[in-house]
């Protein structure tokens, strides 16, 4: 947001509080540091420097402040020989880092004062910084929150991922359609990172595996890759709250061993001379290249192995440097796999232990299982990755041998224990024999880990009953629950300074360090004076968002209207379509019944659809077509506005979340693993409308039934409904409201230029409604009517909003990380 950010840290004790002279000295030191960076690192004079120049200078000055704590943290970890945690994730959606870093260093106000003396506005610089394009959605944002919490809790941790040149994509909307363009976040450099060209590892692909006799009769297997790519490290310091500890986010960039085929270049084939470089560097160009082609599928596997191998080589090197003995790896290293993307790391670590370091197979497998743990994030079959065995055998031949051997020993052990039923053994196998032979990466991650966790109570139980049902029966103690959390530093303190300041004035500042201290707000939920101040803080956020919408979309919205928000990746199971259909129904009612007292409402959507996900892109088009019709219809009388904000990212979320009145969490029950947007919006005072899915279940338990709007089929009812098939004709006919909406889509009411545009959606809803949009439509409409009635009772609504803030302290990522540390990683936590 563009609001001034208020100072946050608790008041120091009188004995340790800085004097006025000390504060003035700090401001002067920061001012001098910024000017020095501007002159000697940016190479600009203050009289000619642009806002971007000033941003880089301030970022570099702030980074310098991190480095001392960073070096101290590294020294402490080595001196104490602590067990290190390594978090492997294909995504780290870290967002902008300027205010985040200054907040955790307690330097926001000193830096603001230092810049004010130079006639520079810190808040303007905040908006100059690009969002780091290193993730897509909840998976990457969770990884970022977890990295910050690990530093806050003084866990010696490293994050490992890929330094994408262009991220997922930059979304633009043209004529209502999504278009994808490369992100340009690195065009002007990244002032937060430290290139480490000396830290590089060779990553092999293809080739052959040779068997070499050894003494004792057990042959050695030597992999001779036909292609090598170099992984080069870039380090970003991650500072914890109050500078407690600074950890490292190490991202890998792909390079060709030889950047140019000089012989080919001198023959005049200038494009061909760069072919090897382009092929190698494609690995770190974009996140989630489309896998709709064989080449795209291969690139995804290359990405996953590239970063897993580089990360494992790096952490093994670090372990040997300090401890000297590979046999103690599991005692000093805990590796968390964030979803199945890094699961190939199980086979890679076995290769390193057996082929490179000479351990026997059984000991290597014991170390591997004790080292790895795996977080499952989905119950969707397409998200539990499988790779065709021909692709694996061609690209990673040694790893395929290792996987076959892991599988053979696994199945032999089961048969020895008396399991003979072929169907059961097939379900437990790492190799899926259906529809062509594939490697089940989820099974590999499960077998190679000592703990597997879901990310909400409901999700963890469903993991046991569905995707890992057979494995859970064999290993009943392996699956545990670790409900997700979010860092309150970014999602309350930084995103919502108005509310943060009000809370601190009301209950004191204990909640800065203990999120569950927010419970002290509960007695104020019915206090009319506090309700008014709470409402004013929220209204300031809504006005700021209304201005943003006006600036970006040229749409004027009423900041006093109910802001009804659904911001997340566009996917059929997340059911943005259900929201849009109800929006159409509301639009029809407003036009047909002008005598009714409708609650003014602004429907706000944001999110990206995967480039090759045609149905999701059609849903985006529908949202924009509905917005065009509704927003330009004078008969609506501004009682309803629809907005789709393009290019959803962390910074946009920071503007939307504090302004949300209603949080849409309406996925088909049993399909959302957890969600973290639901936590962020509840923390900031939005009431949730949702199904009993993911973390909605735990949010309801904590905020209370009266302070959330639950509707729709339960997980069990969804399963029963699907047994009857996906044909929804009877359901549609039984609901006049729904029938009218679907007829309007079929008749082209929102697509007069192409009346058949939404035929695929109509056909899907009518005959193939797997996500049960039609089954939940009436219940959702009734819940929305309940929302409108509650909104009219402003005292009741404000009470519920305050209680949402007061009762969501448990959803802190600090709590989640403390649980991982205690139950899975077996490392101590502490706060400095």
């Amino acid at each position: 947001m563009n609001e001034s950010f208020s100072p946050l840290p608790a008041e120091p004790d009188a004995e340790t509080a800085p004097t006025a002279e000390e504060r003035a000295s700090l401001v002067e030191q920061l001012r001098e540091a910024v000017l020095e960076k501007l002159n000697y690192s940016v190479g600009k004079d203050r009289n000619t420097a642009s806002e971007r120049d000033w941003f880089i200078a301030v970022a570099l000055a702030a980074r310098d402040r991190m480095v001392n704590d960073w070096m101290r943290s590294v020294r402490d970890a080595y001196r104490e020989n602590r067990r290190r945690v390594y978090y492997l994730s294909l995504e780290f959606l870290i967002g902008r880092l300027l205010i985040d870093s200054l907040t955790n260093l307690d330097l926001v106000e000193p830096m603001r004062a230092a810049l004010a003396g130079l006639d520079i506005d810190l808040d303007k610089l905040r908006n100059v910084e690009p969002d780091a394009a290193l993730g897509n959605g909840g998976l990457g944002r969770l990884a970022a929150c977890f990295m910050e919490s690990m530093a806050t809790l003084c866990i010696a941790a490293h994050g490992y991922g890929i330094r994408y040149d262009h991220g997922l994509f930059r979304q633009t909307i043209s004529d209502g359609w999504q278009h994808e363009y490369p992100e340009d976040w690195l065009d002007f450099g990244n002032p937060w990172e430290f290139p480490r060209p000396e830290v590089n590892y060779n990553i092999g692909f293809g080739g052959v595996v040779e068997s070499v006799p050894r003494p004792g009769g057990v042959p050695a297997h030597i992999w001779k890759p036909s292609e090598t790519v170099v992984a080069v490290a870039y380090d970003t310091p991650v500072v914890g709250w109050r500078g407690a500890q600074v950890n490292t986010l190490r991202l890998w960039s792909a390079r060709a061993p030889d950047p140019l085929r000089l012989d080919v270049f001198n023959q005049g084939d200038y494009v061909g001379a760069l072919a090897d470089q382009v092929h190698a560097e494609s690995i770190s160009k974009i996140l989630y290249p489309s896998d709709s082609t064989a080449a795209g599928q291969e690139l995804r596997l290359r990405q996953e192995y590239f970063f897993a191998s580089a990360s494992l080589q790096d952490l093994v090197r670090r372990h040997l440097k300090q401890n000297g003995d590979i046999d103690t790896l599991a005692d000093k290293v805990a590796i968390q796999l964030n979803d199945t993307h890094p699961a190939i790391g199980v086979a890679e670590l076995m290769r390193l232990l057996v082929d490179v370091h000479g351990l026997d197979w059984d000991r290597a497998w014991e170390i591997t299982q004790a080292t790895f743990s795996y977080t499952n994030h989905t119950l969707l079959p397409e998200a539990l990755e499988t790779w065709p065995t021909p692709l694996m055998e061609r690209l990673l031949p040694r790893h395929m041998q290792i996987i076959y051997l892991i599988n053979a020993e696994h199945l032999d052990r089961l048969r020895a224990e008396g399991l003979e039923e072929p169907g059961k053994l097939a379900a437990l196998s790492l190799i899926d024999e259906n529809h062509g032979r594939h490697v089940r990466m989820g099974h590999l991650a499960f077998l190679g880990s000592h703990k597997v966790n879901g990310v909400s109570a409901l999700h963890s139980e469903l993991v046991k009953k569905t995707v890992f049902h057979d494995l859970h029966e064999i290993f009943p103690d392996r699956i545990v629950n670790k409900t997700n959390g979010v860092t309150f530093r970014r999602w309350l303190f930084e995103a919502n300074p108005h509310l943060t300041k009000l809370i601190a004035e009301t209950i004191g500042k204990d909640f800065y360090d203990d999120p569950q201290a927010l419970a002290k707000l509960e007695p104020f939920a019915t206090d009319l004076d506090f309700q008014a101040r709470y409402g004013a803080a929220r209204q300031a956020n809504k006005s700021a968002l209304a201005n943003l919408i006006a600036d970006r979309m040229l749409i004027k919205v009423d900041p006093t209207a109910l802001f009804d928000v659904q911001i997340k990746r566009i996917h059929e199971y997340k059911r943005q379509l259900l929201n849009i259909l109800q929006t159409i129904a509301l639009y029809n009612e407003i036009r047909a019944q002008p005598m009714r007292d409708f609650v003014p409402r602004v429907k706000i959507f944001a999110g990206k659809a995967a480039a090759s996900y045609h149905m999701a892109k059609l849903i985006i088009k529908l949202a924009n077509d509905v917005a065009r019709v509704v927003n330009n219809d004078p008969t609506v009388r501004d009682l309803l506005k629809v907005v789709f904000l393009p290019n959803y990212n962390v910074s946009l979320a920071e503007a939307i979340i504090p302004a949300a009145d209603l949080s849409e969490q309406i996925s088909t029950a049993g399909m959302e693993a957890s969600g973290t947007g639901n936590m962020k919006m509840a923390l900031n005072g939005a009431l949730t409308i949702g199904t009993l899915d993911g973390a909605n279940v735990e949010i309801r338990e904590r905020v209370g039934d009266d302070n959330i709007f639950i509707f729709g089929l339960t997980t069990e009812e969804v399963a029963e409904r699907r047994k009857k098939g996906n044909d929804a004709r009877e359901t549609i006919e039984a609901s006049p409201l729904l029938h009218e909406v679907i007829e309007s889509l079929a008749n082209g009411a929102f697509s007069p230029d192409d009346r058949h545009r939404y035929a695929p959606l109509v056909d899907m809803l009518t005959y193939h409604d797997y996500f049960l949009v039609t089954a939940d439509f009436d219940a959702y409409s009734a819940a929305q009517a309940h929302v409108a009635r509650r909104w009219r009772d402003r005292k009741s609504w404000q009470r519920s909003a305050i209680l949402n803030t007061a009762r969501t302290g448990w959803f802190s990522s600090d709590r989640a990380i403390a649980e991982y540390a205690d139950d899975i990683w077996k490392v101590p936590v502490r706060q400095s």
Side-chain angles (χ1 to χ4, degrees):
M1 295 182 68
N2 296 325
E3 303 298 321
S4 290
F5 182 69
S6 302
L8 293 175
E11 295 293 340
D13 296 333
E15 295 180 0
T16 60
T19 64
E21 291 78 8
E22 289 170 332
R23 288 194 294 270
S25 175
L26 174 59
V27 169
E28 186 57 33
Q29 290 171 30
L30 291 173
R31 186 179 296 128
E32 291 175 358
V34 170
L35 287 173
E36 181 178 335
K37 293 298 178 185
L38 185 69
N39 291 336
Y40 298 111
S41 296
V42 183
K44 288 293 185 71
D45 179 80
R46 59 180 293 185
N47 295 315
T48 58
S50 67
E51 283 189 341
R52 186 176 297 278
D53 296 330
W54 282 107
F55 157 68
I56 293 173
V58 173
L60 291 174
R63 193 183 73 167
D64 283 355
R65 290 275 172 163
M66 295 183 204
V67 169
N68 287 337
D69 289 333
W70 194 15
M71 298 301 102
R72 170 184 55 77
S73 299
V74 171
R75 288 193 299 269
D76 288 350
Y78 273 99
R79 186 183 68 255
E80 298 169 12
N81 199 14
R82 285 190 261 164
R83 191 182 198 204
R84 288 180 169 88
V85 173
Y86 296 97
Y87 198 85
L88 272 61
S89 179
L90 204 59
E91 299 183 37
F92 285 94
L93 200 57
I94 56 178
R96 294 169 173 167
L97 294 179
L98 178 60
I99 296 299
D100 195 55
S101 300
L102 291 175
T103 297
N104 280 2
L105 292 169
D106 189 14
L107 289 177
V108 172
E109 290 310 307
M111 184 62 81
R112 187 189 305 284
L115 293 174
L118 299 168
D119 295 324
I120 300 297
D121 184 344
L122 176 61
D123 296 305
K124 288 185 178 180
L125 300 188
R126 178 183 193 174
N127 294 322
V128 170
E129 181 177 9
D131 273 54
L134 298 170
N136 176 27
L139 183 81
R141 188 51 236 172
L142 181 77
C145 285
F146 277 9
M147 284 299 299
E148 195 262 10
S149 283
M150 283 188 271
T152 294
L153 297 179
C154 295
I155 295 171
H158 285 69
Y160 280 120
I162 296 178
R163 181 182 181 267
Y164 302 103
D165 293 345
H166 301 293
L168 183 70
F169 57 80
R170 175 170 51 87
Q171 180 195 57
T172 65
I173 303 295
S174 178
D175 191 29
W177 292 102
Q178 170 180 293
H179 294 268
E180 303 89 26
Y181 296 93
E183 281 279 10
D184 56 2
W185 75 288
L186 287 174
D187 280 6
F188 291 89
N190 178 6
W192 302 106
E193 69 183 8
F194 289 84
R196 306 291 195 200
E198 75 282 5
V199 180
N200 63 81
Y201 298 95
N202 289 335
I203 312 299
F205 296 100
V208 297
V209 180
E210 295 182 356
S211 181
V212 178
R214 289 191 308 186
V218 179
H221 295 89
I222 309 300
W223 178 28
K224 295 186 175 181
S226 59
E227 178 193 357
T228 299
V229 175
V230 180
V232 180
Y234 287 77
D235 289 352
T236 299
V238 179
V239 60
W241 176 233
R242 301 187 188 280
Q245 178 156 312
V246 182
N247 285 331
T248 303
L249 174 60
R250 175 160 285 180
L251 303 176
W252 302 105
S253 186
R255 299 286 185 269
D258 297 308
L260 181 71
R261 289 279 307 277
L262 194 58
D263 56 335
V264 176
F265 188 90
N266 286 331
Q267 292 171 8
D269 185 0
Y270 307 127
V271 175
L274 295 170
D276 290 347
Q277 179 189 23
V278 171
H279 185 61
E281 294 183 1
S282 66
I283 289 175
S284 55
K285 283 297 179 187
I286 66 169
L287 168 65
Y288 298 141
S290 173
D291 58 358
S292 59
T293 65
Q297 191 173 54
E298 178 177 327
L299 180 54
R300 283 214 187 182
L301 180 55
R302 285 167 63 88
Q303 283 185 325
E304 294 179 7
Y305 176 66
F306 166 81
F307 104 91
S309 177
S311 304
L312 289 168
Q313 290 185 63
D314 192 49
L315 68 88
V316 167
R317 173 200 58 79
R318 187 177 297 108
H319 172 77
L320 290 175
K321 177 182 177 182
Q322 180 160 14
N323 297 285
D325 185 1
I326 194 67
D327 198 64
T328 63
L329 184 72
D331 298 327
K332 295 298 180 181
V333 167
I335 303 173
Q336 189 72 35
L337 303 175
N338 192 28
D339 217 348
T340 54
H341 306 125
I344 190 63
V346 172
E348 172 67 358
L349 184 56
M350 286 295 291
R351 184 189 72 84
L352 293 173
L353 295 176
V354 175
D355 295 357
V356 178
H357 296 284
L359 293 184
D360 69 74
W361 178 273
D362 290 342
R363 179 57 183 153
W365 184 242
E366 182 182 355
I367 290 171
T368 295
Q369 284 188 310
T371 302
F372 278 111
S373 49
Y374 158 54
T375 300
N376 172 275
H377 283 279
T378 184
L379 302 171
L380 295 176
E382 68 267 23
L384 277 177
E385 290 181 312
T386 64
W387 294 112
T389 55
L391 173 62
M392 290 279 289
E393 288 169 339
R394 176 171 58 82
L395 208 61
L396 301 170
R398 177 56 178 149
H399 298 78
M400 200 62 241
Q401 288 182 348
I402 290 169
I403 289 169
Y404 278 137
L405 187 53
I406 292 171
N407 195 45
E409 295 205 348
H410 163 58
L411 296 179
D412 285 348
R413 192 160 46 248
L414 294 178
R415 280 190 288 263
E417 293 170 358
L419 182 60
E420 296 289 348
E421 202 272 301
K424 195 75 166 178
L425 289 171
L428 289 162
S429 174
L430 294 182
I431 310 301
D432 184 356
E433 303 283 353
N434 299 312
H435 311 296
R437 191 169 290 156
H438 288 71
V439 180
R440 294 168 165 151
M441 302 308 288
H443 279 46
L444 179 63
F446 188 107
L447 283 182
S449 299
H450 65 283
K451 289 292 182 185
V452 175
N453 72 279
V455 290
S456 71
L458 174 63
H459 172 245
S460 296
E461 289 305 307
L462 291 174
V463 165
K464 296 175 185 178
K465 296 174 182 177
T466 57
V467 290
F468 293 136
H469 171 263
D470 298 295
L471 286 167
H472 174 61
E473 287 187 340
I474 304 298
F475 305 101
D477 298 324
R478 192 163 297 186
I479 298 175
V480 296
N481 178 58
K482 295 289 169 278
T483 298
N484 285 345
V486 302
T487 171
F488 286 20
R489 269 78 64 180
R490 182 179 287 269
W491 296 109
L492 180 62
F493 303 173
E494 298 168 32
N496 201 342
H498 296 294
L499 182 56
T500 301
K501 181 180 179 182
L502 173 62
I503 294 171
E505 291 172 350
T506 305
I507 63 170
K509 299 179 179 180
D510 290 348
F511 74 99
Y512 291 158
D513 299 289
D514 177 13
Q516 300 212 49
L518 286 170
K520 296 177 183 177
L521 278 177
E522 284 205 31
F524 296 92
T526 55
D527 183 299
L528 297 183
D529 178 64
F530 182 76
Q531 283 192 2
R533 296 169 67 201
Y534 185 92
R538 289 190 46 76
Q539 196 57 52
N541 298 327
K542 294 178 67 176
S543 294
L545 179 57
N547 291 336
L548 183 150
I549 292 170
D551 290 343
R552 296 190 186 181
M553 309 299 297
L554 302 180
I555 298 172
K556 182 180 179 181
V557 301
D558 178 4
T560 67
L562 190 157
F563 279 16
D564 183 343
V565 173
Q566 189 171 19
I567 46 173
K568 52 184 75 235
R569 179 167 54 95
I570 309 298
H571 197 290
E572 288 170 274
Y573 90 84
K574 293 179 183 288
R575 299 203 297 189
Q576 285 91 353
L577 183 55
L578 176 60
N579 191 348
I580 297 169
L581 295 181
Q582 195 275 330
T583 302
I584 295 172
L586 179 59
Y587 168 64
N588 290 339
E589 289 181 333
I590 290 172
R591 290 188 303 163
Q593 304 173 45
M595 73 295 296
R596 281 179 55 188
D597 182 21
F598 288 96
V599 166
R601 190 184 295 242
V602 180
K603 290 274 193 173
I604 299 171
F605 297 89
K608 297 178 180 179
S612 59
Y613 192 173
H614 302 297
M615 192 65 80
K617 295 174 86 168
L618 189 60
I619 290 171
I620 290 175
K621 173 60 172 171
L622 176 60
N624 282 285
D625 274 350
V626 171
R628 174 181 48 78
V629 171
V630 170
N631 297 344
N632 290 293
D633 189 337
T635 67
V636 174
R637 295 162 291 137
D638 291 334
L639 291 171
L640 178 64
K641 287 290 180 73
V642 182
V643 178
F644 188 99
L645 285 163
N647 205 38
Y648 182 56
N649 57 20
V650 175
S651 296
L652 185 54
E654 289 172 337
I656 296 173
I657 286 170
D661 294 308
L662 188 66
S663 167
E664 297 269 359
Q665 310 297 331
I666 58 176
S667 52
T668 310
M671 303 202 72
E672 184 73 83
S674 171
T676 53
N678 47 7
M679 302 171 189
K680 295 163 192 167
M681 285 193 266
L683 172 65
N684 282 275
L687 275 58
T688 301
I689 181 170
T691 52
L692 284 175
D693 197 24
N696 291 354
V697 176
E698 287 152 285
I699 290 175
R700 183 182 73 159
E701 290 171 356
R702 294 183 183 277
V703 305
D705 289 344
D706 293 339
N707 306 304
I708 190 171
F709 303 98
I710 296 296
F711 74 93
L713 300 174
T714 64
T715 301
E716 295 76 16
E717 290 167 341
V718 165
E720 286 300 313
R721 186 74 174 234
R722 282 177 175 161
K723 289 178 183 178
K724 301 175 183 178
N726 299 322
D727 191 304
R729 282 176 290 183
E730 288 186 11
T731 303
I732 295 168
E733 288 300 321
S735 172
L737 199 62
L738 177 59
H739 184 271
E740 181 185 20
V741 170
I742 292 180
E743 279 293 304
S744 68
L745 289 184
N747 294 334
F750 297 93
S751 55
D753 56 325
D754 179 2
R755 294 192 174 277
H756 301 292
R757 177 179 298 149
Y758 297 113
L761 287 178
V762 172
D763 182 71
M764 180 270 291
L765 289 169
T766 306
Y767 303 107
H768 313 285
D769 189 14
Y770 179 77
F771 299 101
L772 299 173
V773 171
T774 57
D776 273 346
F777 178 84
D778 283 349
Y780 178 57
S781 296
Q784 287 285 17
H786 186 194
V787 167
R789 291 192 297 272
R790 283 289 298 280
W791 179 258
R792 289 192 184 93
D793 185 347
R794 302 304 298 141
K795 293 178 184 177
S796 174
W797 187 281
Q798 292 287 33
R799 174 185 176 277
S800 291
I802 293 165
L803 289 175
N804 267 262
T805 299
R807 294 175 177 174
T808 47
W810 186 81
F811 294 99
S812 164
S813 52
D814 294 352
R815 183 271 314 158
I817 287 298
E819 290 181 2
Y820 277 91
D822 178 62
D823 190 33
I824 297 178
W825 304 330
K826 305 300 181 184
V827 297
V829 301
R830 64 176 184 266
Q831 288 179 289
S832 297

